Amino acid sequence: MDQVELAGFQALLEWDPAPVAWSAAEGALAVEAGPKTDVFVDPGDGTETLSAPRLLGRVEGDYSLSARVTVEFRSDYDAGALLLWVHERLWAKLCFELSPQREQMVVSVVTRGVSDDCNSFVVDGNAVGLRAARLGQAYAFHASTDGQTWRLVRYFALEPSADPRVGFLAQSPRGDGCSVRFEEISFRPGPLEDIRSGA
């Protein structure tokens, strides 16, 4: 599959799988997910859905990846996300997602065999800042409503030897498709100094 260069990201990326449509211009990535697409392993019965389009690249060492994520919400669980991906049963995503109550929410999912799904907070509007950071063998997810103050959503580990690719995802588990736009993409090498400071 063709490699993708994306302004604001230091590595080449690849689609796995590819979306219905996508474009990258002026530092923004636009993605159209197809119908009934998701990345989730049900903790109840182990049923897996791994069809959502994801654009992933491999980077070394500690880093933080952030983007302003805008979603054209239409159906329950439509979302745009940042994704850490090792393999089908080891990954984590930080989502901006529409709940069944029609609320725009920051949601995180960590999958070690099966998925652990956690709703964090409601966002007023259809855009939010998301950030995924690596700190040695640990990872931190943050979200920001103003682009200045970052709220810690989740601090977790995958596996000691895990070396995940990182990137972007769009999904529409119950709908006919979902359009997501990632803007203000920023990749910064090195660890975050304090994951709870708001910086």
Side-chain angles (χ1 to χ4, degrees):
M1 185 170 291
D2 291 340
Q3 293 182 319
V4 178
E5 290 188 51
L6 189 62
F9 194 87
Q10 76 164 33
L12 293 174
L13 302 102
E14 292 182 335
W15 287 107
D16 177 27
V20 171
W22 70 277
S23 64
E26 298 180 354
L29 171 68
V31 185
E32 178 71 27
K36 307 300 185 290
T37 49
D38 198 5
V39 171
F40 193 72
V41 183
D42 195 299
D45 59 12
T47 301
E48 65 178 37
T49 305
L50 302 169
S51 55
R54 42 201 184 263
L55 182 64
L56 300 169
R58 189 173 301 282
V59 294
E60 301 294 331
D62 294 339
Y63 60 83
S64 60
L65 172 66
S66 63
R68 179 174 173 82
V69 182
T70 304
V71 184
E72 295 181 12
F73 293 116
R74 287 174 273 182
S75 301
D76 294 352
Y77 309 119
D78 280 4
L82 299 183
L83 177 68
L84 299 165
W85 182 268
V86 182
H87 56 68
E88 287 81 359
R89 292 285 177 138
L90 187 62
W91 51 266
K93 63 180 177 179
L94 175 61
C95 306
F96 185 36
E97 182 175 291
L98 186 65
S99 77
Q101 292 75 38
R102 311 304 292 177
E103 294 177 318
Q104 298 88 236
M105 301 192 72
V106 173
V107 177
S108 62
V109 181
V110 176
T111 299
R112 307 178 195 88
V114 296
S115 296
D116 173 356
D117 194 354
C118 180
N119 292 350
S120 292
F121 63 90
V122 175
V123 174
D124 183 14
N126 69 338
V128 73
L130 300 180
R131 184 173 71 189
R134 182 172 185 172
L135 306 97
Q137 296 181 358
Y139 303 88
F141 283 162
H142 292 85
S144 175
T145 56
D146 62 7
Q148 301 295 321
T149 302
W150 292 90
R151 296 172 60 174
L152 180 63
V153 173
R154 199 151 183 167
Y155 182 51
F156 61 97
L158 292 171
E159 285 183 355
S161 61
D163 185 22
R165 291 178 290 163
V166 62
F168 311 88
L169 173 144
Q171 65 180 48
S172 185
R174 292 189 177 178
D176 296 325
C178 178
S179 297
V180 180
R181 188 171 177 84
F182 301 90
E183 298 174 288
E184 300 173 22
I185 297 167
S186 174
F187 180 91
R188 297 182 179 179
L192 295 176
E193 291 186 5
D194 185 346
I195 64 170
R196 294 177 174 85
S197 70

